[in-house]
Amino acid sequence: MNEIISEIKEYVKELKIPGINQGLRMKIEEAYKLNQPYEELLRDIFMEAYDMRMENGRKNRIRNARFPYKKYLDELQVDYLPEDAKKKFKELKTLRFIEEGRNIILAGNPGTGKTHLSIGLGINACNKGYKVFFTTAASLINELKETKSDKKLYTFEKRFEKYDLIILDELGYISFDKEGSELLFTFLSLRAERKSTIITTNLSFDRWNEIFNDAVLTAALIDRMTHKSYVLNMNGESYRIKETREWLEKSN
């Protein structure tokens, strides 16, 4: 029996099926004791390996998304969110916007839950098997410029086409030069109506020209990004201030 188990493990190793070798001897010995049918034993072994692969995939998707920190939708105090977010929360949580290739634009003053909501949706998407990537607008433009100078821009853009959801955070905190604006415009345009993008911004649309410094380009980008998109007004009292106030009330 020992020789057969060793042989099985070698086959499993070559086939690269994680989760089977772990506790294999114990499973086989238990099956002997219980007189378990062979097909049931095989099903249980492969089911455990499948579950492990699914869990490893989920963890890898979350890690590869490069979230700056983990925030979950279940942690959100929905009542603290601005009215638009409260109304759309259940609908967005279904993730149908990803299946439909629709964008979400969260626009409003700082501290109202834009980044928390976007990361929470992103982690939910990872859990459901979608490929997600998180970046700030400034970081993305730097990467676009670097890959362009290295003549790898096309490869970079093709890689990003594979993501089901891209979260572009903090659009509006810094303005861009002409090259950066044009690169970001091209990048976002490639995804428009094909793959989903979540944008968080502290600026209303009539102020986006302050970032891009090109009225024609700005108008074209807004037109493409808002078409069939969820546009949520996130102006309101700071989410963090509300949480602090509640914490102080409970402490007294």
Side-chain angles (χ1 to χ4, degrees):
M1 181 173 167
N2 289 342
E3 188 176 330
I4 292 173
I5 290 176
S6 297
E7 197 174 340
I8 291 171
K9 286 185 174 181
E10 281 302 312
Y11 283 127
V12 169
K13 183 180 177 182
E14 287 299 316
L15 290 169
K16 295 180 173 60
I17 308 175
I20 289 184
N21 282 339
Q22 189 175 357
L24 182 61
R25 175 185 292 277
M26 187 175 69
K27 292 187 186 80
I28 292 173
E29 289 176 350
E30 187 70 17
Y32 271 120
K33 287 178 187 176
L34 299 174
N35 198 27
Q36 184 182 20
Y38 298 133
E39 61 270 23
E40 283 188 16
L41 173 62
L42 277 173
R43 180 202 62 195
D44 292 348
I45 287 173
F46 282 111
M47 188 184 296
E48 191 171 316
Y50 173 82
D51 289 343
M52 182 175 285
R53 175 169 287 182
M54 292 300 101
E55 179 61 12
N56 289 341
R58 185 187 71 82
K59 289 177 178 176
N60 287 337
R61 284 190 296 275
I62 290 174
R63 184 176 64 251
N64 293 336
R66 286 169 47 177
F67 297 114
Y69 41 79
K70 291 179 182 176
K71 289 287 186 180
Y72 303 95
L73 294 181
D74 293 342
E75 297 172 346
L76 264 175
Q77 292 277 359
V78 180
D79 290 341
Y80 288 179
L81 293 172
E83 203 58 36
D84 265 10
K86 278 193 271 190
K87 288 178 181 176
K88 293 288 194 298
F89 183 76
K90 285 185 179 179
E91 187 176 349
L92 297 180
K93 197 175 178 180
T94 66
L95 303 180
R96 278 196 295 268
F97 71 93
I98 298 178
E99 296 172 25
E100 297 166 356
R102 298 173 69 177
N103 301 324
I104 300 175
I105 299 175
L106 306 171
N109 54 285
T112 55
K114 297 187 297 295
T115 301
H116 187 150
L117 180 56
S118 65
I119 291 176
L121 289 170
I123 288 178
N124 265 23
C126 290
N127 290 338
K128 294 293 185 182
Y130 293 110
K131 290 184 68 177
V132 181
F133 188 80
F134 179 99
T135 183
T136 63
S139 295
L140 178 59
I141 284 178
N142 285 338
E143 287 193 71
L144 288 167
K145 284 184 175 182
E146 286 172 11
T147 54
K148 182 184 178 184
S149 65
D150 294 338
K151 298 182 179 178
K152 296 177 182 177
L153 185 58
Y154 177 77
T155 304
F156 181 82
E157 288 174 345
K158 294 300 289 182
R159 175 166 68 87
F160 267 73
E161 281 182 23
K162 296 177 182 177
Y163 289 107
D164 302 295
L165 173 64
I166 287 178
I167 300 170
L168 185 66
D169 198 33
E170 298 182 349
L171 182 70
Y173 283 84
I174 61 168
S175 58
F176 315 129
D177 59 17
K178 189 173 187 298
E179 182 189 26
S181 297
E182 289 173 352
L183 285 169
L184 185 59
F185 171 81
T186 303
F187 176 83
L188 292 175
S189 295
L190 287 171
R191 294 182 59 83
E193 296 188 53
R194 294 175 59 249
K195 294 290 184 75
S196 294
T197 302
I198 296 178
I199 295 175
T200 75
T201 177
N202 62 323
L203 298 180
S204 55
F205 292 128
D206 59 355
R207 295 184 60 195
W208 277 30
N209 192 42
E210 296 173 19
I211 316 167
F212 294 99
N213 297 305
D214 184 321
V216 175
L217 183 146
T218 302
L221 181 62
I222 291 171
D223 181 63
R224 292 183 189 186
M225 296 306 296
T226 58
H227 184 58
K228 296 182 180 178
S229 298
Y230 293 95
V231 180
L232 276 62
N233 180 349
M234 294 293 287
N235 282 313
E237 186 180 0
S238 170
Y239 185 93
R240 287 184 285 271
I241 289 173
K242 288 179 181 178
E243 281 191 325
T244 303
R245 187 189 301 132
E246 186 181 82
W247 177 78
L248 287 171
E249 286 172 357
K250 286 180 179 178
S251 301
N252 292 334

PDB file of all heavy atoms in Angstrom, residues 48-72:
ATOM      1  N   GLU A  48     -12.180  17.936  -2.665  1.00  0.00           N
ATOM      2  CA  GLU A  48     -11.308  18.701  -1.766  1.00  0.00           C
ATOM      3  C   GLU A  48     -10.238  19.450  -2.556  1.00  0.00           C
ATOM      4  O   GLU A  48      -9.911  20.606  -2.244  1.00  0.00           O
ATOM      5  CB  GLU A  48     -10.659  17.757  -0.757  1.00  0.00           C
ATOM      6  CG  GLU A  48      -9.957  18.468   0.379  1.00  0.00           C
ATOM      7  CD  GLU A  48      -9.512  17.525   1.482  1.00  0.00           C
ATOM      8  OE1 GLU A  48     -10.300  16.643   1.857  1.00  0.00           O
ATOM      9  OE2 GLU A  48      -8.370  17.684   1.952  1.00  0.00           O
ATOM     10  N   ALA A  49      -9.686  18.802  -3.586  1.00  0.00           N
ATOM     11  CA  ALA A  49      -8.667  19.452  -4.423  1.00  0.00           C
ATOM     12  C   ALA A  49      -9.280  20.629  -5.176  1.00  0.00           C
ATOM     13  O   ALA A  49      -8.653  21.692  -5.314  1.00  0.00           O
ATOM     14  CB  ALA A  49      -8.076  18.448  -5.405  1.00  0.00           C
ATOM     15  N   TYR A  50     -10.509  20.442  -5.660  1.00  0.00           N
ATOM     16  CA  TYR A  50     -11.209  21.523  -6.370  1.00  0.00           C
ATOM     17  C   TYR A  50     -11.442  22.711  -5.446  1.00  0.00           C
ATOM     18  O   TYR A  50     -11.192  23.867  -5.819  1.00  0.00           O
ATOM     19  CB  TYR A  50     -12.536  20.999  -6.910  1.00  0.00           C
ATOM     20  CG  TYR A  50     -13.415  22.066  -7.526  1.00  0.00           C
ATOM     21  CD1 TYR A  50     -13.216  22.490  -8.834  1.00  0.00           C
ATOM     22  CD2 TYR A  50     -14.440  22.659  -6.785  1.00  0.00           C
ATOM     23  CE1 TYR A  50     -14.012  23.473  -9.395  1.00  0.00           C
ATOM     24  CE2 TYR A  50     -15.241  23.650  -7.337  1.00  0.00           C
ATOM     25  CZ  TYR A  50     -15.023  24.052  -8.640  1.00  0.00           C
ATOM     26  OH  TYR A  50     -15.801  25.028  -9.190  1.00  0.00           O
ATOM     27  N   ASP A  51     -11.925  22.437  -4.235  1.00  0.00           N
ATOM     28  CA  ASP A  51     -12.178  23.513  -3.271  1.00  0.00           C
ATOM     29  C   ASP A  51     -10.905  24.281  -2.956  1.00  0.00           C
ATOM     30  O   ASP A  51     -10.921  25.514  -2.839  1.00  0.00           O
ATOM     31  CB  ASP A  51     -12.769  22.937  -1.977  1.00  0.00           C
ATOM     32  CG  ASP A  51     -14.196  22.451  -2.157  1.00  0.00           C
ATOM     33  OD1 ASP A  51     -14.823  22.837  -3.158  1.00  0.00           O
ATOM     34  OD2 ASP A  51     -14.680  21.682  -1.301  1.00  0.00           O
ATOM     35  N   MET A  52      -9.785  23.546  -2.821  1.00  0.00           N
ATOM     36  CA  MET A  52      -8.510  24.207  -2.529  1.00  0.00           C
ATOM     37  C   MET A  52      -8.071  25.081  -3.702  1.00  0.00           C
ATOM     38  O   MET A  52      -7.595  26.205  -3.509  1.00  0.00           O
ATOM     39  CB  MET A  52      -7.426  23.173  -2.220  1.00  0.00           C
ATOM     40  CG  MET A  52      -6.088  23.791  -1.870  1.00  0.00           C
ATOM     41  SD  MET A  52      -4.847  22.578  -1.374  1.00  0.00           S
ATOM     42  CE  MET A  52      -5.419  22.171   0.265  1.00  0.00           C
ATOM     43  N   ARG A  53      -8.261  24.584  -4.927  1.00  0.00           N
ATOM     44  CA  ARG A  53      -7.890  25.376  -6.106  1.00  0.00           C
ATOM     45  C   ARG A  53      -8.719  26.654  -6.192  1.00  0.00           C
ATOM     46  O   ARG A  53      -8.201  27.723  -6.494  1.00  0.00           O
ATOM     47  CB  ARG A  53      -8.064  24.542  -7.379  1.00  0.00           C
ATOM     48  CG  ARG A  53      -7.820  25.333  -8.652  1.00  0.00           C
ATOM     49  CD  ARG A  53      -7.744  24.442  -9.857  1.00  0.00           C
ATOM     50  NE  ARG A  53      -6.498  23.682  -9.879  1.00  0.00           N
ATOM     51  CZ  ARG A  53      -6.149  22.845 -10.865  1.00  0.00           C
ATOM     52  NH1 ARG A  53      -6.954  22.678 -11.890  1.00  0.00           N
ATOM     53  NH2 ARG A  53      -5.013  22.201 -10.821  1.00  0.00           N
ATOM     54  N   MET A  54     -10.019  26.534  -5.924  1.00  0.00           N
ATOM     55  CA  MET A  54     -10.904  27.703  -5.958  1.00  0.00           C
ATOM     56  C   MET A  54     -10.486  28.732  -4.903  1.00  0.00           C
ATOM     57  O   MET A  54     -10.466  29.937  -5.166  1.00  0.00           O
ATOM     58  CB  MET A  54     -12.357  27.290  -5.723  1.00  0.00           C
ATOM     59  CG  MET A  54     -12.986  26.468  -6.834  1.00  0.00           C
ATOM     60  SD  MET A  54     -13.022  27.323  -8.445  1.00  0.00           S
ATOM     61  CE  MET A  54     -11.630  26.538  -9.281  1.00  0.00           C
ATOM     62  N   GLU A  55     -10.160  28.248  -3.703  1.00  0.00           N
ATOM     63  CA  GLU A  55      -9.764  29.155  -2.626  1.00  0.00           C
ATOM     64  C   GLU A  55      -8.428  29.823  -2.935  1.00  0.00           C
ATOM     65  O   GLU A  55      -8.255  31.025  -2.712  1.00  0.00           O
ATOM     66  CB  GLU A  55      -9.682  28.385  -1.309  1.00  0.00           C
ATOM     67  CG  GLU A  55      -9.262  29.208  -0.099  1.00  0.00           C
ATOM     68  CD  GLU A  55     -10.212  30.347   0.234  1.00  0.00           C
ATOM     69  OE1 GLU A  55     -11.344  30.392  -0.316  1.00  0.00           O
ATOM     70  OE2 GLU A  55      -9.814  31.213   1.042  1.00  0.00           O
ATOM     71  N   ASN A  56      -7.477  29.058  -3.473  1.00  0.00           N
ATOM     72  CA  ASN A  56      -6.188  29.639  -3.849  1.00  0.00           C
ATOM     73  C   ASN A  56      -6.351  30.678  -4.959  1.00  0.00           C
ATOM     74  O   ASN A  56      -5.699  31.730  -4.950  1.00  0.00           O
ATOM     75  CB  ASN A  56      -5.219  28.547  -4.314  1.00  0.00           C
ATOM     76  CG  ASN A  56      -4.730  27.672  -3.173  1.00  0.00           C
ATOM     77  OD1 ASN A  56      -4.815  28.065  -2.004  1.00  0.00           O
ATOM     78  ND2 ASN A  56      -4.228  26.497  -3.488  1.00  0.00           N
ATOM     79  N   GLY A  57      -7.247  30.394  -5.904  1.00  0.00           N
ATOM     80  CA  GLY A  57      -7.514  31.343  -6.982  1.00  0.00           C
ATOM     81  C   GLY A  57      -8.104  32.636  -6.449  1.00  0.00           C
ATOM     82  O   GLY A  57      -7.737  33.727  -6.881  1.00  0.00           O
ATOM     83  N   ARG A  58      -9.031  32.505  -5.517  1.00  0.00           N
ATOM     84  CA  ARG A  58      -9.651  33.685  -4.909  1.00  0.00           C
ATOM     85  C   ARG A  58      -8.600  34.552  -4.210  1.00  0.00           C
ATOM     86  O   ARG A  58      -8.559  35.775  -4.383  1.00  0.00           O
ATOM     87  CB  ARG A  58     -10.722  33.237  -3.910  1.00  0.00           C
ATOM     88  CG  ARG A  58     -11.531  34.361  -3.298  1.00  0.00           C
ATOM     89  CD  ARG A  58     -12.442  33.845  -2.187  1.00  0.00           C
ATOM     90  NE  ARG A  58     -11.663  33.468  -1.028  1.00  0.00           N
ATOM     91  CZ  ARG A  58     -11.226  34.319  -0.100  1.00  0.00           C
ATOM     92  NH1 ARG A  58     -11.500  35.607  -0.201  1.00  0.00           N
ATOM     93  NH2 ARG A  58     -10.525  33.890   0.933  1.00  0.00           N
ATOM     94  N   LYS A  59      -7.750  33.908  -3.418  1.00  0.00           N
ATOM     95  CA  LYS A  59      -6.703  34.645  -2.696  1.00  0.00           C
ATOM     96  C   LYS A  59      -5.730  35.311  -3.663  1.00  0.00           C
ATOM     97  O   LYS A  59      -5.295  36.445  -3.442  1.00  0.00           O
ATOM     98  CB  LYS A  59      -5.949  33.710  -1.751  1.00  0.00           C
ATOM     99  CG  LYS A  59      -6.762  33.260  -0.552  1.00  0.00           C
ATOM    100  CD  LYS A  59      -5.977  32.277   0.316  1.00  0.00           C
ATOM    101  CE  LYS A  59      -6.763  31.856   1.535  1.00  0.00           C
ATOM    102  NZ  LYS A  59      -6.049  30.827   2.333  1.00  0.00           N
ATOM    103  N   ASN A  60      -5.377  34.597  -4.733  1.00  0.00           N
ATOM    104  CA  ASN A  60      -4.457  35.158  -5.725  1.00  0.00           C
ATOM    105  C   ASN A  60      -5.067  36.365  -6.436  1.00  0.00           C
ATOM    106  O   ASN A  60      -4.366  37.357  -6.696  1.00  0.00           O
ATOM    107  CB  ASN A  60      -4.074  34.096  -6.763  1.00  0.00           C
ATOM    108  CG  ASN A  60      -3.120  33.060  -6.210  1.00  0.00           C
ATOM    109  OD1 ASN A  60      -2.406  33.325  -5.239  1.00  0.00           O
ATOM    110  ND2 ASN A  60      -3.112  31.882  -6.792  1.00  0.00           N
ATOM    111  N   ARG A  61      -6.360  36.290  -6.747  1.00  0.00           N
ATOM    112  CA  ARG A  61      -7.006  37.421  -7.424  1.00  0.00           C
ATOM    113  C   ARG A  61      -7.008  38.662  -6.528  1.00  0.00           C
ATOM    114  O   ARG A  61      -6.773  39.781  -7.007  1.00  0.00           O
ATOM    115  CB  ARG A  61      -8.439  37.046  -7.829  1.00  0.00           C
ATOM    116  CG  ARG A  61      -8.513  36.133  -9.037  1.00  0.00           C
ATOM    117  CD  ARG A  61      -9.930  35.988  -9.557  1.00  0.00           C
ATOM    118  NE  ARG A  61     -10.818  35.355  -8.592  1.00  0.00           N
ATOM    119  CZ  ARG A  61     -10.960  34.042  -8.444  1.00  0.00           C
ATOM    120  NH1 ARG A  61     -10.262  33.209  -9.203  1.00  0.00           N
ATOM    121  NH2 ARG A  61     -11.808  33.551  -7.553  1.00  0.00           N
ATOM    122  N   ILE A  62      -7.270  38.462  -5.244  1.00  0.00           N
ATOM    123  CA  ILE A  62      -7.263  39.597  -4.318  1.00  0.00           C
ATOM    124  C   ILE A  62      -5.852  40.162  -4.184  1.00  0.00           C
ATOM    125  O   ILE A  62      -5.649  41.382  -4.199  1.00  0.00           O
ATOM    126  CB  ILE A  62      -7.824  39.177  -2.945  1.00  0.00           C
ATOM    127  CG1 ILE A  62      -9.334  38.909  -3.062  1.00  0.00           C
ATOM    128  CG2 ILE A  62      -7.566  40.253  -1.889  1.00  0.00           C
ATOM    129  CD1 ILE A  62      -9.975  38.359  -1.806  1.00  0.00           C
ATOM    130  N   ARG A  63      -4.855  39.288  -4.087  1.00  0.00           N
ATOM    131  CA  ARG A  63      -3.471  39.759  -3.967  1.00  0.00           C
ATOM    132  C   ARG A  63      -3.021  40.492  -5.236  1.00  0.00           C
ATOM    133  O   ARG A  63      -2.411  41.569  -5.167  1.00  0.00           O
ATOM    134  CB  ARG A  63      -2.541  38.576  -3.681  1.00  0.00           C
ATOM    135  CG  ARG A  63      -1.082  38.997  -3.445  1.00  0.00           C
ATOM    136  CD  ARG A  63      -0.185  37.846  -3.073  1.00  0.00           C
ATOM    137  NE  ARG A  63      -0.088  36.872  -4.141  1.00  0.00           N
ATOM    138  CZ  ARG A  63      -0.645  35.660  -4.094  1.00  0.00           C
ATOM    139  NH1 ARG A  63      -1.342  35.283  -3.033  1.00  0.00           N
ATOM    140  NH2 ARG A  63      -0.515  34.820  -5.099  1.00  0.00           N
ATOM    141  N   ASN A  64      -3.347  39.927  -6.394  1.00  0.00           N
ATOM    142  CA  ASN A  64      -2.918  40.519  -7.665  1.00  0.00           C
ATOM    143  C   ASN A  64      -3.653  41.822  -7.985  1.00  0.00           C
ATOM    144  O   ASN A  64      -3.199  42.602  -8.814  1.00  0.00           O
ATOM    145  CB  ASN A  64      -3.118  39.521  -8.809  1.00  0.00           C
ATOM    146  CG  ASN A  64      -2.199  38.321  -8.694  1.00  0.00           C
ATOM    147  OD1 ASN A  64      -1.144  38.400  -8.069  1.00  0.00           O
ATOM    148  ND2 ASN A  64      -2.594  37.196  -9.276  1.00  0.00           N
ATOM    149  N   ALA A  65      -4.800  42.047  -7.332  1.00  0.00           N
ATOM    150  CA  ALA A  65      -5.557  43.286  -7.570  1.00  0.00           C
ATOM    151  C   ALA A  65      -4.831  44.509  -7.015  1.00  0.00           C
ATOM    152  O   ALA A  65      -5.109  45.632  -7.416  1.00  0.00           O
ATOM    153  CB  ALA A  65      -6.946  43.177  -6.949  1.00  0.00           C
ATOM    154  N   ARG A  66      -3.925  44.276  -6.084  1.00  0.00           N
ATOM    155  CA  ARG A  66      -3.107  45.346  -5.493  1.00  0.00           C
ATOM    156  C   ARG A  66      -3.951  46.402  -4.766  1.00  0.00           C
ATOM    157  O   ARG A  66      -3.708  47.603  -4.867  1.00  0.00           O
ATOM    158  CB  ARG A  66      -2.246  46.014  -6.579  1.00  0.00           C
ATOM    159  CG  ARG A  66      -1.089  45.129  -7.015  1.00  0.00           C
ATOM    160  CD  ARG A  66      -0.358  45.592  -8.254  1.00  0.00           C
ATOM    161  NE  ARG A  66      -0.012  47.003  -8.278  1.00  0.00           N
ATOM    162  CZ  ARG A  66       0.683  47.571  -9.251  1.00  0.00           C
ATOM    163  NH1 ARG A  66       1.112  46.834 -10.279  1.00  0.00           N
ATOM    164  NH2 ARG A  66       0.951  48.843  -9.221  1.00  0.00           N
ATOM    165  N   PHE A  67      -4.943  45.929  -4.020  1.00  0.00           N
ATOM    166  CA  PHE A  67      -5.690  46.860  -3.177  1.00  0.00           C
ATOM    167  C   PHE A  67      -4.754  47.448  -2.123  1.00  0.00           C
ATOM    168  O   PHE A  67      -3.933  46.720  -1.562  1.00  0.00           O
ATOM    169  CB  PHE A  67      -6.839  46.134  -2.457  1.00  0.00           C
ATOM    170  CG  PHE A  67      -7.882  45.560  -3.370  1.00  0.00           C
ATOM    171  CD1 PHE A  67      -8.059  44.188  -3.463  1.00  0.00           C
ATOM    172  CD2 PHE A  67      -8.682  46.390  -4.144  1.00  0.00           C
ATOM    173  CE1 PHE A  67      -9.022  43.651  -4.302  1.00  0.00           C
ATOM    174  CE2 PHE A  67      -9.646  45.868  -4.989  1.00  0.00           C
ATOM    175  CZ  PHE A  67      -9.814  44.493  -5.068  1.00  0.00           C
ATOM    176  N   PRO A  68      -4.863  48.746  -1.824  1.00  0.00           N
ATOM    177  CA  PRO A  68      -3.971  49.346  -0.815  1.00  0.00           C
ATOM    178  C   PRO A  68      -4.269  48.817   0.588  1.00  0.00           C
ATOM    179  O   PRO A  68      -3.410  48.803   1.460  1.00  0.00           O
ATOM    180  CB  PRO A  68      -4.288  50.845  -0.916  1.00  0.00           C
ATOM    181  CG  PRO A  68      -5.673  50.911  -1.479  1.00  0.00           C
ATOM    182  CD  PRO A  68      -5.793  49.734  -2.397  1.00  0.00           C
ATOM    183  N   TYR A  69      -5.485  48.391   0.803  1.00  0.00           N
ATOM    184  CA  TYR A  69      -5.926  47.767   2.052  1.00  0.00           C
ATOM    185  C   TYR A  69      -7.246  47.065   1.747  1.00  0.00           C
ATOM    186  O   TYR A  69      -7.840  47.275   0.684  1.00  0.00           O
ATOM    187  CB  TYR A  69      -6.110  48.794   3.176  1.00  0.00           C
ATOM    188  CG  TYR A  69      -6.746  50.084   2.743  1.00  0.00           C
ATOM    189  CD1 TYR A  69      -8.126  50.180   2.545  1.00  0.00           C
ATOM    190  CD2 TYR A  69      -5.965  51.224   2.491  1.00  0.00           C
ATOM    191  CE1 TYR A  69      -8.714  51.365   2.114  1.00  0.00           C
ATOM    192  CE2 TYR A  69      -6.560  52.409   2.057  1.00  0.00           C
ATOM    193  CZ  TYR A  69      -7.923  52.461   1.879  1.00  0.00           C
ATOM    194  OH  TYR A  69      -8.511  53.627   1.454  1.00  0.00           O
ATOM    195  N   LYS A  70      -7.676  46.216   2.657  1.00  0.00           N
ATOM    196  CA  LYS A  70      -8.912  45.475   2.427  1.00  0.00           C
ATOM    197  C   LYS A  70     -10.082  46.174   3.102  1.00  0.00           C
ATOM    198  O   LYS A  70     -10.032  46.477   4.289  1.00  0.00           O
ATOM    199  CB  LYS A  70      -8.779  44.043   2.941  1.00  0.00           C
ATOM    200  CG  LYS A  70      -7.814  43.201   2.125  1.00  0.00           C
ATOM    201  CD  LYS A  70      -7.693  41.798   2.692  1.00  0.00           C
ATOM    202  CE  LYS A  70      -6.671  40.989   1.891  1.00  0.00           C
ATOM    203  NZ  LYS A  70      -6.462  39.645   2.471  1.00  0.00           N
ATOM    204  N   LYS A  71     -11.105  46.417   2.315  1.00  0.00           N
ATOM    205  CA  LYS A  71     -12.354  46.987   2.813  1.00  0.00           C
ATOM    206  C   LYS A  71     -13.491  46.145   2.248  1.00  0.00           C
ATOM    207  O   LYS A  71     -13.476  45.796   1.068  1.00  0.00           O
ATOM    208  CB  LYS A  71     -12.522  48.445   2.356  1.00  0.00           C
ATOM    209  CG  LYS A  71     -11.576  49.431   3.033  1.00  0.00           C
ATOM    210  CD  LYS A  71     -11.987  49.689   4.472  1.00  0.00           C
ATOM    211  CE  LYS A  71     -11.137  50.786   5.105  1.00  0.00           C
ATOM    212  NZ  LYS A  71     -11.557  51.026   6.509  1.00  0.00           N
ATOM    213  N   TYR A  72     -14.452  45.824   3.105  1.00  0.00           N
ATOM    214  CA  TYR A  72     -15.523  44.932   2.686  1.00  0.00           C
ATOM    215  C   TYR A  72     -16.869  45.652   2.713  1.00  0.00           C
ATOM    216  O   TYR A  72     -17.108  46.524   3.548  1.00  0.00           O
ATOM    217  CB  TYR A  72     -15.564  43.694   3.588  1.00  0.00           C
ATOM    218  CG  TYR A  72     -14.258  42.934   3.602  1.00  0.00           C
ATOM    219  CD1 TYR A  72     -13.307  43.168   4.596  1.00  0.00           C
ATOM    220  CD2 TYR A  72     -13.965  42.006   2.608  1.00  0.00           C
ATOM    221  CE1 TYR A  72     -12.097  42.486   4.603  1.00  0.00           C
ATOM    222  CE2 TYR A  72     -12.763  41.321   2.608  1.00  0.00           C
ATOM    223  CZ  TYR A  72     -11.832  41.560   3.608  1.00  0.00           C
ATOM    224  OH  TYR A  72     -10.634  40.890   3.612  1.00  0.00           O
TER     225      TYR A  72
END
